[in-house]
């Protein structure tokens, strides 16, 4: 096993690539390094390596440096000589306590990863002089205080503070200088409580498209989140004290509020984003589903929105929709239902005035408590054909347990299932997932206008049974506008329409 190297190696003039990963017995390196042609150097997983050598002379060619999982405490002042460095990774350097002030010499640095440096509690002000820095990962560090240097990084697009909660909660940095640059902000698991997010905090993020606020302790969000006009992905899962959502921006694609067990109301949170929303997941949000406003407004608004293709800020138009909600019964308006995890139907025939445009699909599932670490997955497979994008849902965070049965409902375009017989089977990759029932329902263009809410005795297991569709209404999410057919009458989806109020879920 390699325990040392000859000093001549680190002054070689022609070597362009040097990989010494996983040299577990390597404790020290020669005191100096000067490799004029070196482009990439990796010392990752040298678990006993305590010191990086002094840099002598120019090493402009070096563009990537990996020091992950070493026991380096400090970097040499001469690090500034790596003026061509673009990628610098120090992941899980758990003994690293500080960065040198000469870090500003890394003029070409674009990606700086410090995740898991659990003893690093401050950054030098000179870090703000790295004008080309595009992504800064501070997840799992001990950094908690506001840093004016971050606001000086005019080109920074991704900032990750997730898991920065050592000793005390994170104090959000002053970010007003970002203006339109930041697109991704990760504040997951930062021990933030009510009032820790200032009311005007989101006012400066004109380009933010991804926002992670999961696993925090606040009760509400500031209304300024609605100013994030380009926001597409919002993660709030695991915010166990969150009670309500403010109105959300109109371009949101995905919303996750799984395990927000105190969430009672969305107010008008989803009102503006119905036309773009394609993913909504609320595992274990029993209080939310019991609320009249969600049960009465979400189905009709989604049905209206799914009748038209979505226009994304950064993606091609799509016509997909998926939702996970508490519920133990297949909605009664599903024409074909099975008490197993698979179902087969004959493809319905189109008529001259009534074209089938897709299928509504659903299954009922339950996640048992388990100790597994692997990622759990439920997928919907179609026999005899290859699915371009196989519908699937995932269960992360050590396989969270569901507190009741849940319903996964989504839409598949008829263009993807163009065959005489349609056979769907739901499968899971772990026995902790139990698949109980499934259903499929043809979606026709003509019947999209036939939604007729009427009073009906609701089931205690699913809020979808709190309203009923006309017997001719056969779907929820058709891609009718793709062939030029416009929705002639949207009045039946008026926001002022009232659907019957559901009964509350029966407590177990």
């Amino acid at each position: 096993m390699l325990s040392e190297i000859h000093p001549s190696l680190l002054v070689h003039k022609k070597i362009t690539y040097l990989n010494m990963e996983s040299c577990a017995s390597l404790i020290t390196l020669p005191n100096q390094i000067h490799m004029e042609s070196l482009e990439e150097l990796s010392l990752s997983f040298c678990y006993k390596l305590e010191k990086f050598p002094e840099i002598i002379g120019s090493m402009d060619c070096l563009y990537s440096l990996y020091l992950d999982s070493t026991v380096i405490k400090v970097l040499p002042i001469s690090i500034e000589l790596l003026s061509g460095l673009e990628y610098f990774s120090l992941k899980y350097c758990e003994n690293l306590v500080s960065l040198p002030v000469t870090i500003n010499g890394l003029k070409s640095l674009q990606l700086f990863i410090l995740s898991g440096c659990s003893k690093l509690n401050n950054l030098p002000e000179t870090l703000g002089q790295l004008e080309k820095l595009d992504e800064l990962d501070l997840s799992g560090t001990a950094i908690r205080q506001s840093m004016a240097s971050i606001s000086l990084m005019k080109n920074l697009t991704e900032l990750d503070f997730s898991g920065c909660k050592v000793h005390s909660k994170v104090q959000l940095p002053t970010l007003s200088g970002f203006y339109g640059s930041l697109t991704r902000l990760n504040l997951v698991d930062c021990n933030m409580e009510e009032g820790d997010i200032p009311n005007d905090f989101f006012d400066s993020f004109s380009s933010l498209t991804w926002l992670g606020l999961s696993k925090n302790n606040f009760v509400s969000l500031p209304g300024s989140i609605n100013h994030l006009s380009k926001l597409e992905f919002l993660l709030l899962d695991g915010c166990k004290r969150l009670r309500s959502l403010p109105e959300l921006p109109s371009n949101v694609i995905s919303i996750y509020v799984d395990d927000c067990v105190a969430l009672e109301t969305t107010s008008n949170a989803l009102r503006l984003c119905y036309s773009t929303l394609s993913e909504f997941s609320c595992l274990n949000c029993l209080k939310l589903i019991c609320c009249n406003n969600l049960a009465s407004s979400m189905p009709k608004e989604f049905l209206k929105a799914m009748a038209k293709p979505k226009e994304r800020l950064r993606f091609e138009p799509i016509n997909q929709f998926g939702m996970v909600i508490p519920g133990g019964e297949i909605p009664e308006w599903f024409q074909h239902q099975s008490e197993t995890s698979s179902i087969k139907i004959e493809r319905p025939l189109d008529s001259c005035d009534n074209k089938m445009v897709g299928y509504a699909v659903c299954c009922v599932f339950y996640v048992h408590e388990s100790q597994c670490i692997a990622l759990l997955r439920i997928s919907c497979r179609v026999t005899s054909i290859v699915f371009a994008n196989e519908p699937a849902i995932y269960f992360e965070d050590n396989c969270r347990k569901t507190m009741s049965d849940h319903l996964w409902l989504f839409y598949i375009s008829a263009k993807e299932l163009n065959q005489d017989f349609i056979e769907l089977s739901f499968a899971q990759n772990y026995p902790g997932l139990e698949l109980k029932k499934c259903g499929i329902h043809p979606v026709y263009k003509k019947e999209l206008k036939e939604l007729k809410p009427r009073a009906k005795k609701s089931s205690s297991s699913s809020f979808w049974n709190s309203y009923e569709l006309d017997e001719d209404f056969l779907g929820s999410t058709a891609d009718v506008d793709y062939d030029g057919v416009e929705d002639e009458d949207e009045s039946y989806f008026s926001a002022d329409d009232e659907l019957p109020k559901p009964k509350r879920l029966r407590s177990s």
Side-chain angles (χ1 to χ4, degrees), residues 41-70:
L41 172 60
S42 179
L43 294 163
S44 295
F45 313 114
C46 295
Y47 300 112
K48 297 180 181 180
L49 185 61
E50 299 178 347
K51 186 179 179 180
F52 189 81
E54 290 288 340
I55 301 163
I56 306 297
S58 173
M59 290 181 59
D60 293 342
C61 294
L62 188 65
Y63 68 86
S64 61
L65 177 58
Y66 304 84
L67 300 176
D68 304 338
S69 298
T70 61

Side-chain angles (χ1 to χ4, degrees), residues 67 117 259 278 308:
L67 300 176
C117 296
D259 292 322
S278 62
K308 296 182 178 180

Side-chain angles (χ1 to χ4, degrees), residues 245-249 255 265-274 293:
L245 295 177
E247 188 174 90
L248 298 177
I255 300 175
T265 178
T266 63
S267 275
N268 293 318
L270 307 180
R271 181 176 60 86
L272 294 179
C273 56
Y274 282 128
N293 69 320

